Amino acid sequence: MSVQIHKTRLWESIEKLAEYTEPGQPYTRRSFSPMFLQGREWLKRQFIDAGLEVEVDAGGNLMGQYPGRNPELPPIVSGSHSDTVPDGGRFDGIAGVLTALEVARTLKENHIELNRTFVVVDFLAEEPSDYGLSRVGSRALTGDLSADMLQYTAPDGSTLAEGIQRVGGNSSELNQPLMAPGDVAGFFELHIEQGPVLETEQLPIGIVTNIVGITRVDMSFHGRPDHSGTTPMDIRADALAAAAKVIATVNDNAQKWLKQPEYLVATVGKINVQPNASNVVPGRVDMTKKHDKLRPCRAEKDSASCEAA
Ligand SMILES: [Zn+2]
């Protein structure tokens, strides 16, 4: 049997959720914010209208269940996140949650009973939050939310534990994983590609085969600052000239991995030169993990889009 989802309805849902945004700032619904909670309220209403059994788990994840014929079997889970970074994209996270919801609606409307329960999920705070931690809801599921992390504070002084309570979770149950391996039969997440490959190659969809692993390193080059006009080339210790060779080598080596099965990219994205003056031989160069615009990470395993302390 072939059943089509309701494309227009899915699109309308995406447009509707986009209306829950900070004034004058499209697609901005930071986790734990009043705007996020309003968006969640709307989402919850959609889950209920779709006939799903709705709950917010202890980790603050919004779940909607479409019960299957054999509720004792591990369910099929699908979803993503409804929180955004500031000025996030139209589809990031949202597409995954609303597509899963649309699948549930379609199953229900067509009276299709699945063997297993189908769960639509909106994970709490996938993006870095004001508590300095990302992937809060998924951490709760896997038991990666330590007592320490629950005490992280937001600029308003509240703790993450309090934030989780505020979205309907229960932080006192988070001292152990909410799920064990095997509790889920399969997980499917539709996600926007946050890069240009599919569009460039005109591919309609890509299937994820590997999850990216990120390593960041700090490097410092120590030379000696000298007057550039009076210091002969053979007795200089130019830190920037050395750093430039490393930057070029990193780039050249990464290029060699292009189109290889074990794909790799490498970037030197930030350097600080001292004293950074046109008439002084550079005495020191730091290539740092630090990112100017992002907030500090508070945990070793925080999101890639925060600034390592
Ligand atoms: Zn995302």
Side-chain angles (χ1 to χ4, degrees):
M1 178 170 49
S2 162
V3 180
Q4 294 285 317
I5 60 151
H6 200 313
K7 270 198 273 186
T8 323
R9 181 172 58 190
L10 173 56
W11 180 249
E12 283 166 0
S13 297
I14 290 171
E15 295 276 273
K16 186 74 205 169
L17 186 53
E19 289 174 16
Y20 293 92
T21 187
E22 298 299 334
Q25 232 188 329
Y27 318 118
T28 301
R29 206 169 38 251
R30 307 251 356 257
S31 54
F32 302 100
S33 70
M35 194 50 75
F36 169 76
L37 290 172
Q38 284 179 40
R40 265 258 171 119
E41 242 349 276
W42 176 83
L43 208 48
K44 191 171 155 191
R45 171 71 15 225
Q46 305 311 302
F47 281 22
I48 293 167
D49 289 351
L52 304 180
E53 295 168 11
V54 179
E55 66 151 352
V56 174
D57 74 5
N61 302 304
L62 176 66
M63 308 251 190
Q65 301 211 2
Y66 178 63
R69 220 173 291 130
N70 300 297
E72 72 286 354
L73 290 178
I76 296 164
V77 183
S78 183
S80 193
H81 58 98
S82 72
D83 66 317
T84 73
V85 292
D87 306 314
R90 182 188 289 266
F91 301 112
D92 181 10
I94 295 149
V97 178
L98 294 178
T99 309
L101 170 65
E102 181 55 34
V103 167
R105 282 167 169 162
T106 305
L107 290 171
K108 178 95 177 171
E109 277 169 4
N110 290 277
H111 310 288
I112 300 169
E113 204 183 15
L114 298 179
N115 203 13
R116 297 168 185 272
T117 295
F118 179 68
V119 182
V120 182
V121 62
D122 171 27
F123 294 112
L124 176 65
E126 194 270 349
E127 308 286 6
S129 65
D130 274 351
Y131 298 98
L133 196 67
S134 61
R135 306 189 308 280
V136 173
S138 353
R139 284 174 193 275
L141 293 174
T142 58
D144 189 22
L145 208 48
S146 66
D148 253 16
M149 291 175 185
L150 289 169
Q151 291 313 309
Y152 288 173
T153 52
D156 69 1
S158 69
T159 62
L160 177 60
E162 288 162 355
I164 290 171
Q165 297 295 131
R166 201 148 39 81
V167 302
N170 185 354
S171 56
S172 67
E173 289 175 26
L174 298 178
N175 47 8
Q176 54 185 24
L178 298 177
M179 275 187 175
D183 280 359
V184 169
F187 178 76
F188 176 79
E189 176 169 5
L190 183 80
H191 202 280
I192 184 83
E193 183 205 22
Q194 288 162 309
V197 177
L198 294 179
E199 192 174 1
T200 310
E201 305 204 357
Q202 301 202 319
L203 295 167
I205 200 161
I207 309 292
V208 174
T209 52
N210 295 66
I211 299 288
V212 68
I214 300 169
T215 304
R216 288 172 191 240
V217 288
D218 276 324
M219 261 188 219
S220 293
F221 297 80
H222 300 260
R224 192 182 55 246
D226 283 314
H227 192 289
S228 64
T230 56
T231 311
M233 296 309 286
D234 60 345
I235 57 168
R236 290 183 182 201
D238 185 328
L240 183 55
K245 284 184 184 160
V246 171
I247 294 171
T249 305
V250 163
N251 185 65
D252 290 349
N253 283 345
Q255 297 279 357
K256 290 181 193 151
W257 290 78
L258 196 66
K259 310 273 180 204
Q260 295 298 310
E262 302 287 312
Y263 186 68
L264 179 145
V265 293
T267 311
V268 178
K270 180 163 189 186
I271 66 170
N272 292 325
V273 181
Q274 289 174 30
N276 207 18
S278 58
N279 63 342
V280 183
V281 175
R284 177 171 172 154
V285 171
D286 295 294
M287 298 176 184
T288 90
K289 299 186 276 193
K290 297 209 165 156
H291 191 299
D292 292 328
K293 292 195 189 105
L294 298 174
R295 62 180 333 289
C297 306
R298 301 261 178 82
E300 190 61 17
K301 290 190 229 162
D302 202 348
S303 159
S305 49
C306 62
E307 178 188 348

